[in-house]
Structure formats: C-alpha cells, structure tokens
Amino acid sequence: MSEIILASASPRRKELLLLAGIDFVVKVADVDEVIDPSLTPDGVVMSLAKQKAQAVASENPDSLVIGADTVVVLDGKILGKPKSEENAVELLTMLSGRVHTVYTGVALIKGETVKTFCEATQVEFYPLTDEEIKAYVATKEPMDKAGAYGIQGKGCILIRKIDGDYFNVVGLPVSAVYRELRDFDV
Amino acid sequence: MSEIILASASPRRKELLLLAGIDFVVKVADVDEVIDPSLTPDGVVMSLAKQKAQAVASENPDSLVIGADTVVVLDGKILGKPKSEENAVELLTMLSGRVHTVYTGVALIKGETVKTFCEATQVEFYPLTDEEIKAYVATKEPMDKAGAYGIQGKGCILIRKIDGDYFNVVGLPVSAVYRELRDFDV
C-alpha cells in the first residue's frame, strides 16, 4: 500500500483523517489558487482540491495524495473567509435564518491517476440577533473559516439543522474519503 | 441567574455544553428508569429525561437542572446499548444500508417549572460488509452506545448522511438547549 499524504495544513482535516483510522503524513505545497470564473461551486472546489493535491503529487509520484477545498455558498455566491471583524458580522448576518450549502471538493492523486469528487451539505442557521452575532465574532472563531463560522466549535449554537454529511461542513467528508481510498488503486 | 446542573454522567453531553459556553456543574442521581410501554419514542426520551432531571432537582430546588436521554429507533423499535459484542454485530447489521432516527429528549426543571422537548435526527448508514462491522466492534467503541455506534468517533466512517441536528446524535441538541435555557426563567 502506498504512503498517503494529506495536502492540507488544516488541523481539522488532519483530525478527521485520524478519527477514521487512516495512516498518513501531512505535506503542503504553495499553490497560486486559480479559479475559473465559469465554474459552478462544485467545479471550483474540485478544481482547487486538484491544484493543491497536484502540487504535492508532482514531488511524490509514488504516494497517494489527498487534496481538499471547502466553500460556503449562499444564493449561488461563494462566501470566503472574513476579511475583518466587520466583514464577519456581514457574512453571519447574511446566513442568519437561512439555508446555505457547504461544498467540499476532494482530489485523490497517485502518479497519473486522478479521482475527484464533491460533497454538498445543506446547513440551516437559526435567526440570529445582532447581539448574538457580535458575541460570536468577539470569540475570534469566525476569522479563519469559510462563511465565518465553525460548526464544530462555539458556532454549534448558531445552527438548527443540517442535511448531508456533518464532517463535510467541518472540512472533509471523511466517510466518503475513507471509502474512495479503499477502492482506489493504492 | 440560577446555577445550572447537568444531570447526566455522559462525558459527551458535558463536552457539548462546554462547547456552547454554558456554565454548569454535573450532579447525577440514581434513577430506576421506568418506561411506560404505551409511549412513542419521543414520549419515552422526554419521560426518562424528566425522571433523571427530577431526581436531581428535588435535592436542588434553586438550581436549573438539565436531564437528557437518547435512543436509536429503527422500524419503530428502540435499539438499546449492546449487551455483548455479538449483540453489537446484530445491531449494526440491522442499521447497515438503512435510515434510522435518533431521538434525544431534554427536560429543564427549576423548582415547580418543567419544560420538556425532543429533537429527532435521521441518520443514514452506508451498506456495511461483515468485515467492516466486525472491525468496528473490535474497537470496543460500540459497547456503551445506544444503537452500537458513535458518530463522533470511529463510527464516523459508517455514516453517509444525516438530516437534523448533528449534536442530537452525539447525545444533546446543544443549540436547542442553549436557546431554551436563554428563554427559561433562570
């Protein structure tokens, strides 16, 4: 069996692969993320996941490399990480009381073999008061997260329900990854 | 504001309340759990949650006491904790490839005031092979868990998707509890 490399610096993705009992190492390469504006959200995350995996795979041709990218999409528009605390308040105000979709794209690459897939999970926020939003932003938790929240952290109290894979919202659809790895030629 | 008491020995429930930033202490009383066979699953979990909370509230009349009970229901039948490793294999074989429902009942009690509610989350399992089930049971993780799995542990790889509150499957719908506590007369 090949060495498995996670091409992501995300501590949350690392934690999820560990939870699934997968043996791996982390190696991250700098990628100038190129987004084709004609792509739909699932196309964007699969493309970025592939770029991240390929940057590591080119240096490690005998390893199986996992790349991933997660975005939050509301009304067809990708919400990125907040640029400031004010922007975090804006993003959370947009999400309040509404359903959005979290897409995580995954790329598995070994040598010339490339497999990409995407998982989508619907997330419904409670209607939030301005005070709740400000209190949450004051925790700083939103600042490094797509859509300005972490479902696995203090952000848990913002969310009424989800439809899909929970771990996909955290940043990696670990169950699907586990199954694809098992079926991949490793 | 009253002292808040969690009337549950579950480390997972404790962890979820901490995540939500709620200040509380844990006090557990022995309860002879009495199940009225005429009740539906949501009635059963609310009744057991109330019994657990009341046993602690009677000794702590000035505190707000939280009780909770979680069951896994397939085809209208409550699946308990496995009695043996063989029983864990049987339960997981029943859940394989199917959708079941996790009910958590919650009771909030302060003095004479009692509020109970229930959250239901649908959980879809991947079709599992006998080898997968045996390997999971060998981790011992299923042994202390309703339905013989933990979604927040190695059991994450068994599950395709959920519909509802994720934390409800872990054992406490922490977001709903947070909101009910805020609105409760504490």
Side-chain angles (χ1 to χ4, degrees), chain B residues 144-156:
Chain B
D144 65 336
K145 296 186 178 67
Y149 74 94
I151 191 172
Q152 73 290 344
K154 295 182 186 76
C156 67

PDB file of all heavy atoms in Angstrom, chain B residues 144-156:
ATOM      1  N   ASP B 144     -20.762   1.020  24.737  1.00  0.00           N
ATOM      2  CA  ASP B 144     -21.511   1.831  25.706  1.00  0.00           C
ATOM      3  C   ASP B 144     -22.456   2.805  25.006  1.00  0.00           C
ATOM      4  O   ASP B 144     -22.865   3.807  25.589  1.00  0.00           O
ATOM      5  CB  ASP B 144     -20.545   2.603  26.616  1.00  0.00           C
ATOM      6  CG  ASP B 144     -19.729   3.635  25.851  1.00  0.00           C
ATOM      7  OD1 ASP B 144     -19.551   3.471  24.618  1.00  0.00           O
ATOM      8  OD2 ASP B 144     -19.274   4.621  26.458  1.00  0.00           O
ATOM      9  N   LYS B 145     -22.812   2.500  23.739  1.00  0.00           N
ATOM     10  CA  LYS B 145     -23.571   3.476  22.970  1.00  0.00           C
ATOM     11  C   LYS B 145     -24.895   2.916  22.438  1.00  0.00           C
ATOM     12  O   LYS B 145     -24.931   1.810  21.899  1.00  0.00           O
ATOM     13  CB  LYS B 145     -22.721   3.996  21.806  1.00  0.00           C
ATOM     14  CG  LYS B 145     -21.492   4.744  22.324  1.00  0.00           C
ATOM     15  CD  LYS B 145     -20.685   5.393  21.256  1.00  0.00           C
ATOM     16  CE  LYS B 145     -19.530   6.139  21.890  1.00  0.00           C
ATOM     17  NZ  LYS B 145     -18.532   5.245  22.528  1.00  0.00           N
ATOM     18  N   ALA B 146     -25.949   3.728  22.569  1.00  0.00           N
ATOM     19  CA  ALA B 146     -27.254   3.357  22.014  1.00  0.00           C
ATOM     20  C   ALA B 146     -27.093   3.086  20.523  1.00  0.00           C
ATOM     21  O   ALA B 146     -26.480   3.877  19.806  1.00  0.00           O
ATOM     22  CB  ALA B 146     -28.255   4.491  22.239  1.00  0.00           C
ATOM     23  N   GLY B 147     -27.618   1.951  20.045  1.00  0.00           N
ATOM     24  CA  GLY B 147     -27.515   1.615  18.626  1.00  0.00           C
ATOM     25  C   GLY B 147     -26.149   1.085  18.241  1.00  0.00           C
ATOM     26  O   GLY B 147     -25.901   0.781  17.078  1.00  0.00           O
ATOM     27  N   ALA B 148     -25.223   0.992  19.210  1.00  0.00           N
ATOM     28  CA  ALA B 148     -23.896   0.394  18.995  1.00  0.00           C
ATOM     29  C   ALA B 148     -22.975   1.191  18.078  1.00  0.00           C
ATOM     30  O   ALA B 148     -22.110   0.633  17.412  1.00  0.00           O
ATOM     31  CB  ALA B 148     -24.030  -1.063  18.493  1.00  0.00           C
ATOM     32  N   TYR B 149     -23.163   2.542  18.022  1.00  0.00           N
ATOM     33  CA  TYR B 149     -22.186   3.342  17.259  1.00  0.00           C
ATOM     34  C   TYR B 149     -22.050   4.728  17.869  1.00  0.00           C
ATOM     35  O   TYR B 149     -22.948   5.216  18.558  1.00  0.00           O
ATOM     36  CB  TYR B 149     -22.567   3.442  15.781  1.00  0.00           C
ATOM     37  CG  TYR B 149     -23.744   4.374  15.505  1.00  0.00           C
ATOM     38  CD1 TYR B 149     -23.531   5.711  15.158  1.00  0.00           C
ATOM     39  CD2 TYR B 149     -25.047   3.922  15.605  1.00  0.00           C
ATOM     40  CE1 TYR B 149     -24.602   6.570  14.919  1.00  0.00           C
ATOM     41  CE2 TYR B 149     -26.122   4.772  15.377  1.00  0.00           C
ATOM     42  CZ  TYR B 149     -25.894   6.091  15.028  1.00  0.00           C
ATOM     43  OH  TYR B 149     -26.957   6.925  14.805  1.00  0.00           O
ATOM     44  N   GLY B 150     -20.889   5.339  17.591  1.00  0.00           N
ATOM     45  CA  GLY B 150     -20.651   6.728  17.978  1.00  0.00           C
ATOM     46  C   GLY B 150     -20.311   7.509  16.738  1.00  0.00           C
ATOM     47  O   GLY B 150     -19.280   7.264  16.105  1.00  0.00           O
ATOM     48  N   ILE B 151     -21.165   8.467  16.360  1.00  0.00           N
ATOM     49  CA  ILE B 151     -20.930   9.240  15.131  1.00  0.00           C
ATOM     50  C   ILE B 151     -19.705  10.121  15.288  1.00  0.00           C
ATOM     51  O   ILE B 151     -19.040  10.453  14.303  1.00  0.00           O
ATOM     52  CB  ILE B 151     -22.187  10.087  14.765  1.00  0.00           C
ATOM     53  CG1 ILE B 151     -22.082  10.681  13.351  1.00  0.00           C
ATOM     54  CG2 ILE B 151     -22.426  11.194  15.792  1.00  0.00           C
ATOM     55  CD1 ILE B 151     -23.364  11.365  12.860  1.00  0.00           C
ATOM     56  N   GLN B 152     -19.390  10.504  16.533  1.00  0.00           N
ATOM     57  CA  GLN B 152     -18.285  11.426  16.785  1.00  0.00           C
ATOM     58  C   GLN B 152     -16.954  10.685  16.958  1.00  0.00           C
ATOM     59  O   GLN B 152     -15.939  11.318  17.220  1.00  0.00           O
ATOM     60  CB  GLN B 152     -18.583  12.281  18.017  1.00  0.00           C
ATOM     61  CG  GLN B 152     -18.472  11.539  19.347  1.00  0.00           C
ATOM     62  CD  GLN B 152     -19.597  10.506  19.570  1.00  0.00           C
ATOM     63  OE1 GLN B 152     -20.618  10.538  18.892  1.00  0.00           O
ATOM     64  NE2 GLN B 152     -19.384   9.590  20.495  1.00  0.00           N
ATOM     65  N   GLY B 153     -16.960   9.373  16.786  1.00  0.00           N
ATOM     66  CA  GLY B 153     -15.744   8.590  16.955  1.00  0.00           C
ATOM     67  C   GLY B 153     -15.410   7.860  15.662  1.00  0.00           C
ATOM     68  O   GLY B 153     -15.670   8.348  14.572  1.00  0.00           O
ATOM     69  N   LYS B 154     -14.864   6.653  15.818  1.00  0.00           N
ATOM     70  CA  LYS B 154     -14.511   5.850  14.638  1.00  0.00           C
ATOM     71  C   LYS B 154     -15.754   5.509  13.819  1.00  0.00           C
ATOM     72  O   LYS B 154     -15.665   5.175  12.648  1.00  0.00           O
ATOM     73  CB  LYS B 154     -13.812   4.563  15.085  1.00  0.00           C
ATOM     74  CG  LYS B 154     -12.473   4.810  15.754  1.00  0.00           C
ATOM     75  CD  LYS B 154     -11.802   3.497  16.141  1.00  0.00           C
ATOM     76  CE  LYS B 154     -10.522   3.758  16.935  1.00  0.00           C
ATOM     77  NZ  LYS B 154     -10.818   4.157  18.341  1.00  0.00           N
ATOM     78  N   GLY B 155     -16.929   5.606  14.450  1.00  0.00           N
ATOM     79  CA  GLY B 155     -18.193   5.352  13.767  1.00  0.00           C
ATOM     80  C   GLY B 155     -18.489   6.345  12.660  1.00  0.00           C
ATOM     81  O   GLY B 155     -19.384   6.113  11.842  1.00  0.00           O
ATOM     82  N   CYS B 156     -17.725   7.427  12.592  1.00  0.00           N
ATOM     83  CA  CYS B 156     -17.956   8.442  11.549  1.00  0.00           C
ATOM     84  C   CYS B 156     -17.923   7.834  10.151  1.00  0.00           C
ATOM     85  O   CYS B 156     -18.641   8.292   9.261  1.00  0.00           O
ATOM     86  CB  CYS B 156     -16.956   9.590  11.662  1.00  0.00           C
ATOM     87  SG  CYS B 156     -15.230   9.140  11.299  1.00  0.00           S
TER      88      CYS B 156
END
